[in-house]
Amino acid sequence: MPTSGPITKQGSIKRQGSAKRRKSSLGGSQQQTPKEVPWDLFDRLLIPLISCHAVAIILSTILNVLRISQVSTFALFIWFALSTTGAVMFYHLLKVSASGKGVLVTGCESPLVWHLARHLDEMGFTVFAGFTHLADSEEAAILKEECSGRMKVLQLDVTSETQMLEASLHISENLPDGARGLWAVIHCAAWVALGEFEWIPFNVLRKAIDINLLGTARLTQIMLPLVRRANGRLVFLSSALARIPSPVRGIQSATQAGIEGLAICLREELRPRGVDVSVVAAGEYVTGTSWLNDKLLMEQASQMWARLSDEQRKVYGKEYFENAIRSLEKYTKVTADFTPAIRSLVDATIRTFPLPRYTPVTRAEKIQTLIAQHLPKSVYDTIYRK
């Protein structure tokens, strides 16, 4: 593992280059898959439809026993389901106006987040786009050049208390005319440490926790007064790994689970204050690009191996170590469509009644998550453990 840190999502940005970004706008160079019913709509309808079925059974039984009516359970269910679906769809489609609302987005070095900031600007929001290294960022320059005058780029390292306070002051002084506060904070800054837990140097472990968890928590504290004034919302970009066992990515899983736990508590604490809290638990390819480079992966793995002690090398063995690292090679060969993740982040920002948790994942990932959460561990191990 090099002293500069582990393999990171942000690390791929410079490699792909800004020219590629220019060609890849939303719906541009990304491969569009056939449209399916989005999981967020499925999540909205699942519990109401189950409740409709339960009520239909109870009501039809009572009516039949009392000989008031011979209506069937199926007929009642259809009537309840149609009414409920219509009501859910009505509330699902209600949106807030983007005009006059400010939104802070962190981690804009990531291709996913870069496109999100640009899309929010196109919708009419005043976007405060936070970059960890603003001075030499070509991505920030492109946003300033190609977006509207509402786009504001910020130097914002979520591990720097000073930069977070300065960002809060800058935002409060540059809110849209008439805005009472900041409409949304969308937490997307992330840093991924890869490798089995014992292999990861402590400084790398600390940095991953500082960025992914502590920095996010502290920025939330600083920005909350502005969000409360606007009766706005907090949106946390998480990962399906928060609920799926994932060796070699344990630190990422731990920090994502921490973020989701924080969001659950914040939702309860802030509900009386009129602030919504949502988590967007995206899939494996949240960056939307091949964020690992095969050559870089192997170079960093070699350096990580060199930093292990003799005892650790003896216990694990070179073959086991290489197999564990090579399990990540599939991420060097995949270019994914991050449109579902962006759609969910936008939905959490603009819907009048956002979902508590969005899961823009593939069907296979959704099934794996459900099995991991709701079935015995032995069932999960039988299906997924290699």
Side-chain angles (χ1 to χ4, degrees):
M1 181 74 67
T3 56
S4 60
I7 306 163
T8 66
K9 293 181 180 181
Q10 289 86 341
S12 68
I13 295 168
K14 295 299 181 183
R15 292 193 297 274
Q16 78 171 24
S18 299
K20 186 174 181 180
R21 282 249 178 96
R22 291 177 180 272
K23 297 177 183 178
S24 177
S25 59
L26 288 175
S29 65
Q30 302 172 61
Q31 296 298 319
Q32 299 297 321
T33 55
K35 290 186 177 180
E36 300 177 355
V37 177
W39 280 111
D40 56 336
L41 184 56
F42 175 81
D43 290 338
R44 285 186 188 271
L45 289 171
L46 180 60
I47 299 301
L49 289 179
I50 292 174
S51 300
C52 286
H53 188 255
V55 171
I57 293 174
I58 295 171
L59 186 57
S60 66
T61 301
I62 293 174
L63 292 175
N64 290 329
V65 169
L66 298 178
R67 300 182 182 278
I68 297 174
S69 172
Q70 296 301 312
V71 64
S72 68
T73 299
F74 180 73
L76 284 175
F77 170 72
I78 293 297
W79 190 85
F80 288 145
L82 290 175
S83 301
T84 301
T85 300
V88 170
M89 289 297 295
F90 172 77
Y91 283 103
H92 175 71
L93 296 175
L94 289 177
K95 300 179 182 179
V96 301
S97 171
S99 178
K101 289 184 172 61
V103 177
L104 170 63
V105 185
T106 67
C108 289
E109 293 86 359
S110 162
L112 164 70
V113 189
W114 188 90
H115 281 291
L116 171 65
R118 181 167 182 162
H119 186 55
L120 291 172
D121 174 76
E122 292 171 353
M123 295 178 66
F125 285 101
T126 296
V127 179
F128 299 93
F131 287 83
T132 305
H133 302 289
L134 179 61
D136 58 349
S137 173
E138 294 181 20
E139 290 76 21
I142 294 173
L143 283 183
K144 293 177 65 176
E145 176 187 344
E146 298 185 356
C147 293
S148 73
R150 296 184 303 274
M151 174 65 68
K152 318 289 185 185
V153 296
L154 300 174
Q155 169 62 45
L156 182 55
D157 182 346
V158 297
T159 64
S160 170
E161 177 92 2
T162 300
Q163 291 186 21
M164 288 189 281
L165 292 172
E166 290 175 349
S168 175
L169 179 62
H170 177 82
I171 290 170
S172 63
E173 293 175 347
N174 291 274
L175 288 170
D177 293 339
R180 293 182 299 169
L182 184 64
W183 173 249
V185 177
I186 307 177
H187 292 283
C188 298
W191 202 67
V192 181
L194 299 174
E196 289 200 9
F197 184 78
E198 188 176 354
W199 307 342
I200 300 175
F202 182 70
N203 65 313
V204 174
L205 173 63
R206 183 194 295 275
K207 183 172 182 178
I209 295 174
D210 282 347
I211 294 176
N212 298 348
L213 184 56
L214 296 181
T216 297
R218 181 57 182 143
L219 183 62
T220 299
Q221 289 181 320
I222 291 172
M223 295 297 172
L224 256 179
L226 285 173
V227 176
R228 276 193 288 101
R229 290 177 208 165
N231 294 122
R233 57 206 42 192
L234 302 171
V235 182
F236 297 89
L237 178 60
S238 177
S239 166
L241 295 178
R243 301 188 179 185
I244 296 177
S246 185
V248 192
R249 289 176 292 174
I251 300 304
Q252 185 185 6
S253 296
T255 55
Q256 299 303 294
I259 285 296
E260 295 206 12
L262 173 65
I264 291 171
C265 295
L266 280 173
R267 189 176 302 119
E268 298 300 317
E269 293 174 358
L270 297 176
R271 182 177 289 118
R273 312 285 178 256
V275 175
D276 289 307
V277 180
S278 295
V279 169
V280 176
E284 295 278 14
Y285 308 111
V286 66
T287 55
T289 64
S290 298
W291 56 273
L292 292 180
N293 173 282
D294 184 63
K295 180 180 178 182
L296 182 64
L297 177 66
M298 298 299 28
E299 287 177 355
Q300 296 197 6
S302 177
Q303 294 181 43
M304 187 193 300
W305 174 260
R307 295 182 65 166
L308 297 181
S309 68
D310 292 339
E311 189 270 343
Q312 288 172 323
R313 293 181 201 170
K314 181 178 180 181
V315 168
Y316 286 100
K318 189 65 176 289
E319 182 179 357
Y320 176 86
F321 178 86
E322 290 182 349
N323 289 337
I325 297 299
R326 289 193 180 280
S327 70
L328 302 169
E329 282 187 320
K330 60 183 178 181
Y331 301 109
T332 71
K333 301 175 174 63
V334 175
T335 299
D337 178 15
F338 50 68
T339 303
I342 292 179
R343 184 179 62 234
S344 295
L345 288 164
V346 170
D347 188 285
T349 305
I350 67 171
R351 298 295 182 190
T352 304
F353 302 100
L355 282 173
R357 191 171 191 268
Y358 294 83
T359 53
V361 298
T362 64
R363 185 180 289 107
E365 289 170 333
K366 185 72 172 183
I367 293 172
Q368 184 176 1
T369 302
L370 291 173
I371 292 174
Q373 288 184 265
H374 302 294
L375 294 183
K377 182 65 165 55
S378 58
V379 175
Y380 181 89
D381 288 344
T382 300
I383 298 173
Y384 294 104
R385 192 172 184 178
K386 298 180 179 179

